[in-house]
């Protein structure tokens, strides 16, 4: 099977291709690295109802209060095929203060991971624009300046979210719903975990479903920005059992090693289970970025199964080039004996 990308998605998300990366991006660069100058981006312009002083207008006009450089490395490893997909989008949609980085780790094939790579960023951007229609713009950060900065949309689906949080939650869930419709038509069993880090001005917002992971280096100490969703965890096991399923051997129904993922039609569209056994609803973590925050690491479980958060941070600290740092992480995972595909993204934050 081959995934299909509509032409407009391919154009808007041209930077989201596996191993075709922009090595270094500085937030004050004049060149739009995501879309050509001839691209029509009117449908992503700031809503006209917003005043010039609104936060959305600032996202459109102001660069991050730091320079960003980033790199990525992906290897197939000992697996028979490559099922990971990555997305690196500085200046998402042409907005200087909006960047998105993501790792999608496919299972039972690569179609779901590639679909998420090609569609979730645009879904996020579309939802964010829609949510801000008629708003002052200030609510995009509301609710993240004080605890809880960690919100689980699966266990508390009715919790009040900021506009940015709602956009990311909706992006996960709408991308999943769209893929499942395609999967039903084509009888696709594929699924994918996903971790997405969105930098909004001086804040990072992370959404995670599954066991890919995001880590921040804060003054040289590993600060987790996501938490793995393994079926054996009490709250994950309870949700599966409440849906009529069971967990054995650390797997949902003895088969799937994660309790959250995009896709996985047979665990969501099953006549025997009226409630999906597996969910794509993400856990959300929000943090304001401080001067001591040095870099982000996003990677699939092929790295985290054999490298701890702190060991990964310690390794990256020795590099000044993010692409070299990402390659070093992957090489360390291979040497540590990982049996999985390995994909890693490193994003350096140079505060001005």
């Amino acid at each position: 099977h081959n995934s299909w990308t509509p032409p407009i998605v391919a154009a808007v998300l041209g930077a989201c291709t596996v191993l075709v990366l922009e090595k270094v991006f500085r937030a004050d660069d004049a060149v739009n690295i995501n879309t050509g100058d001839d691209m029509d981006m009117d449908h992503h312009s700031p809503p006209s109802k917003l005043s010039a002083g609104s936060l959305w207008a600032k996202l459109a006009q102001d660069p991050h209060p730091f320079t960003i450089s980033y790199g990525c490395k992906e290897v197939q490893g000992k697996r028979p095929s490559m099922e990971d997909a990555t997305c690196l989008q500085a200046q998402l949609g042409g907005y200087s203060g909006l960047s998105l980085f993501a790792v999608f780790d496919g299972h039972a094939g690569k179609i779901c991971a590639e679909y998420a790579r090609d569609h979730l960023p645009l879904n996020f951007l579309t939802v964010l624009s829609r949510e801000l229609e008629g708003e002052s713009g200030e609510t995009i950060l509301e609710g993240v300046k004080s605890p809880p900065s960690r919100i689980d949309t699966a266990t508390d689906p009715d919790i009040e979210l900021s506009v940015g949080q709602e956009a990311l939650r909706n992006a996960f869930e709408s991308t999943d719903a769209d893929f499942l419709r395609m999967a039903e038509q084509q009888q696709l069993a594929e699924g994918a975990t996903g971790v997405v880090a969105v930098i909004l001005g001086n804040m990072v917002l992370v959404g995670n479903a599954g066991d890919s992971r995001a880590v921040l280096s804060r003054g040289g100490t590993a600060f987790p920005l996501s938490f793995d969703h393994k079926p054996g965890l009490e709250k994950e096991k309870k949700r599966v059992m409440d849906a009529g399923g069971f967990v054995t051997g650390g797997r949902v129904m003895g088969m799937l090693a994660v309790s959250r993922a995009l896709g996985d039609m047979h665990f969501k569209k099953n006549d025997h289970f009226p409630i999906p056994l597996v969910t794509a609803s993400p856990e959300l973590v929000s943090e304001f970025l401080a001067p001591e925050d040095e870099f982000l690491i996003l990677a699939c479980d092929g790295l985290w199964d054999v490298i701890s958060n702190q060991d990964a941070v310690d390794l990256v600290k020795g590099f000044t080039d993010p692409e070299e740092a990402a390659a070093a992480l992957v090489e360390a995972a291979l040497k540590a004996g990982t049996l999985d595909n390995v994909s890693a993204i490193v994003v350096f934050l140079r505060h001005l």
Side-chain angles (χ1 to χ4, degrees), residues 65-67 202 289-295 348-352:
F66 37 73
T67 58
N202 66 336
L289 294 168
E292 63 266 26
D293 295 334
E294 301 150 315
F295 53 83
F348 281 158
L349 310 171
R350 307 296 188 193
H351 293 265
L352 301 176

Side-chain angles (χ1 to χ4, degrees), residues 35-344:
T35 59
D37 292 336
D38 58 343
M39 283 293 295
D40 178 8
M41 293 298 294
D42 288 346
H43 61 298
H44 291 318
S45 298
S48 58
K49 296 179 183 178
L50 298 183
S51 67
S54 72
L55 184 55
W56 184 244
K58 291 182 182 296
L59 280 177
Q61 298 165 4
D62 296 345
H64 300 298
F66 37 73
T67 58
I68 290 177
S69 60
Y70 56 85
C72 177
K73 180 67 175 180
E74 298 177 328
V75 297
Q76 181 175 322
K78 296 183 178 180
R79 285 294 179 97
S81 61
M82 183 59 173
E83 298 179 342
D84 292 350
T86 58
C87 180
L88 299 93
Q89 278 275 8
Q91 290 186 323
L92 180 64
Y95 297 111
S96 299
L98 182 60
S99 301
L100 183 149
F101 304 92
V103 174
F104 301 102
D105 182 354
H107 44 263
K110 64 181 181 180
I111 297 177
C112 186
E114 292 182 346
Y115 185 94
R117 175 198 67 198
D118 294 338
H119 293 80
L120 190 148
L122 184 59
N123 287 340
F124 170 76
L125 187 61
T126 301
V127 172
L128 187 65
S129 301
R130 185 181 71 230
E131 291 290 334
L132 286 168
E133 287 278 357
E135 297 282 351
S136 68
E138 299 304 322
T139 55
I140 193 170
L141 297 181
E142 188 176 301
V144 301
K145 294 182 180 180
S146 59
S149 62
R150 179 181 175 184
I151 296 173
D152 192 337
T153 63
T155 57
D156 195 358
D158 298 323
I159 191 170
E160 185 175 351
L161 301 175
S162 70
V163 173
Q165 291 167 333
E166 177 59 34
L168 190 52
R169 188 262 290 272
N170 198 312
F172 269 83
E173 294 178 351
S174 63
T175 301
D176 182 53
D178 292 343
F179 179 79
L180 288 174
R181 280 191 286 272
M182 185 180 78
E184 282 190 288
Q185 294 172 355
Q186 302 181 25
Q187 288 300 297
L188 304 175
E190 283 89 342
T193 66
V195 61
V196 179
V198 177
I199 301 177
L200 293 154
N202 66 336
M203 183 193 77
V204 61
L205 171 61
V206 173
N208 179 56
D211 57 4
S212 293
R213 195 182 301 172
V215 175
L216 172 70
S217 176
R218 175 163 283 173
T221 299
F223 185 89
L225 293 176
S226 68
F227 301 89
D228 299 351
H229 299 126
K230 297 291 191 181
L233 293 174
E234 192 59 39
K235 70 173 181 177
E236 298 297 301
K237 184 177 181 179
K238 181 180 185 303
R239 185 172 46 74
V240 172
M241 294 180 67
D242 287 348
F246 61 85
V247 174
T248 183
R251 295 174 178 264
V252 178
M253 308 302 287
M255 293 181 284
L256 189 62
V258 290
S259 51
R260 301 193 198 191
L262 297 107
D264 290 314
M265 178 186 68
H266 299 303
F267 292 88
K268 296 174 182 177
K269 302 285 187 177
N270 192 314
D271 293 339
H272 298 289
F273 303 102
I275 302 174
L277 300 176
V278 174
T279 181
S281 296
E283 196 163 12
L284 303 173
V285 173
S286 307
E287 284 289 327
F288 282 95
L289 294 168
E292 63 266 26
D293 295 334
E294 301 150 315
F295 53 83
L296 299 169
I297 302 172
L298 285 80
C300 64
D301 68 327
L303 183 132
W304 302 117
D305 283 347
V306 294
I307 303 289
S308 71
N309 290 2
Q310 189 60 52
D311 285 345
V313 165
D314 291 342
L315 179 59
V316 171
K317 282 192 298 186
F319 290 86
T320 57
D321 183 292
E323 192 168 353
E324 292 179 359
L329 285 172
V330 170
E331 182 63 26
L334 293 174
K335 288 183 177 179
T338 186
L339 301 176
D340 206 348
N341 302 148
V342 190
S343 297

